[in-house]
Amino acid sequence: MEDPPAAQPSRARAGSLQQGHTVARRLWALGEPFHALTYFADEARTAFAAAGLRTFWAGYFAGRAAPLGAVGPEVVTATFASFAPAFVARRVPEVWSTTSPAGALAARLAGVDAAVQRALPGWADSTAAVEAATLARWAAEAVDLPGRPLAAANSALPVPEQPHLALWQSLTTLREHRGDGHLATLMQHELLGLPALVLSAAAGTTSADWLQKARGWSTDEWTDAGVVLTSRGWLADGELTADGLALRAAVEADTDRLAQGPWAALGEAGCDRLAELLVPVRRAVTAAGDWPPHNPIGVPTDI
């Protein structure tokens, strides 16, 4: 097996949406480790393997792309955006010869279900899980769909009856909504794909060697992208310049702005309460070892 490269809302009290973070960014940071059980938990790999997806990347590409249907490598490359086209083509559409999109969707829920039972024993059917699922669903039902292919595909899926899986599905729709907006922002700045990865590595979020290999880019492609970014004044000797830092800040601010809609629809009290409910979930997932340090997702840790 390949290794991964990796009810009525009440008001929360202790600085729930403060510390300089926008509501959209904080809720993404709190919810993303729970969503990412489908990538990092052993149970997720086991469930995908049972569906015939026996490597990490087979499970990743099939599980994440499945809401779109049995799409080819071109669509996956376009919607995921950070992977080298050849890297995707080596795995898609082959995954659909092993399992169907419906099979991949069932496997990802089975994996998350098993992971939750281990990492958060007794929580899946708790009143906290029910309330969190309700709040997240309200937000997910408010996502704007035009220009958001992965969010739209996930929003079309039935919401599971079990509270923990309903929460997972809604948070997945919301994170893909954010991701779709992030890609739009990167495209506007001519950073979509490899350039964004090189800037991210220069910022120290993830090892450049690891990120290059994990997304399938060659050393020459990575180097060439760095040369272009240097010519634009965003890198110098492989480090972010002041202009590069400002660019990254602008991209993140625009991403937060484009992700704000569903959270505005949920309202301040609902967002505060959902954040309060997600704090112990995030803590449990991290403590269980299901959120690897230095993973490539880029979630801020100072929340």
Side-chain angles (χ1 to χ4, degrees):
M1 178 180 294
E2 297 178 50
D3 288 328
Q8 284 296 112
S10 64
R11 294 298 302 274
R13 296 295 179 223
S16 60
L17 296 175
Q18 305 303 317
Q19 302 175 24
H21 294 288
T22 67
V23 172
R25 174 166 289 265
R26 179 164 173 77
L27 284 164
W28 167 59
L30 288 171
E32 187 70 3
F34 186 68
H35 159 79
L37 287 170
T38 193
Y39 309 133
F40 302 130
D42 288 342
E43 291 86 351
R45 297 201 213 182
T46 298
F48 283 130
L53 302 164
R54 301 188 182 281
T55 68
F56 172 85
W57 288 116
Y60 173 86
F61 282 115
R64 191 174 175 210
L68 296 165
V71 294
E74 298 83 2
V75 174
V76 172
T77 298
T79 52
F80 290 17
S82 65
F83 291 90
F87 188 81
V88 177
R90 288 197 295 271
R91 294 159 177 86
V92 181
E94 183 181 353
V95 292
W96 306 130
S97 68
T98 302
T99 191
S100 65
L105 290 172
R108 73 180 194 172
L109 286 179
V112 170
D113 181 28
V116 168
Q117 303 301 338
R118 169 185 52 80
L120 295 103
W123 173 83
D125 295 317
S126 67
T127 57
V130 171
E131 186 180 4
T134 300
L135 292 167
R137 182 170 185 172
W138 287 346
E141 287 175 345
V143 299
D144 47 317
L145 302 183
R148 314 267 188 164
L150 284 172
N154 275 278
S155 72
L157 298 176
V159 177
E161 293 184 4
Q162 301 96 317
H164 63 302
L165 296 182
L167 174 63
W168 184 87
Q169 182 58 60
S170 293
L171 290 177
T172 297
T173 297
L174 289 160
R175 68 92 64 175
E176 297 292 20
H177 174 269
R178 179 187 179 85
D180 289 334
H182 183 59
L183 298 189
T185 298
L186 291 174
M187 183 178 293
Q188 182 180 13
H189 290 281
E190 299 182 27
L191 291 171
L192 193 59
L194 180 54
L197 297 178
V198 175
L199 282 181
S200 180
T205 58
T206 309
S207 160
D209 288 342
W210 191 95
L211 192 56
Q212 173 202 326
K213 294 174 183 177
R215 295 297 181 258
W217 299 98
S218 71
T219 300
D220 286 345
E221 289 170 325
W222 190 274
T223 300
D224 290 346
V227 170
V228 171
L229 294 172
T230 298
S231 72
R232 294 178 180 176
W234 296 330
L235 289 182
D237 298 324
E239 302 290 332
L240 286 174
T241 63
D243 285 345
L245 288 167
L247 175 65
R248 275 184 53 83
V251 167
E252 293 304 312
D254 280 347
T255 298
D256 291 341
R257 176 177 58 82
L258 291 175
Q260 190 68 23
W263 306 116
L266 181 58
E268 182 180 359
C271 288
D272 278 350
R273 179 56 178 159
L274 181 57
E276 183 180 50
L277 291 164
L278 289 176
V279 166
V281 174
R282 186 187 195 280
R283 187 180 300 123
V285 169
T286 302
D290 294 314
W291 181 247
H294 310 299
N295 69 70
I297 295 178
V299 169
T301 57
D302 55 332
I303 57 173

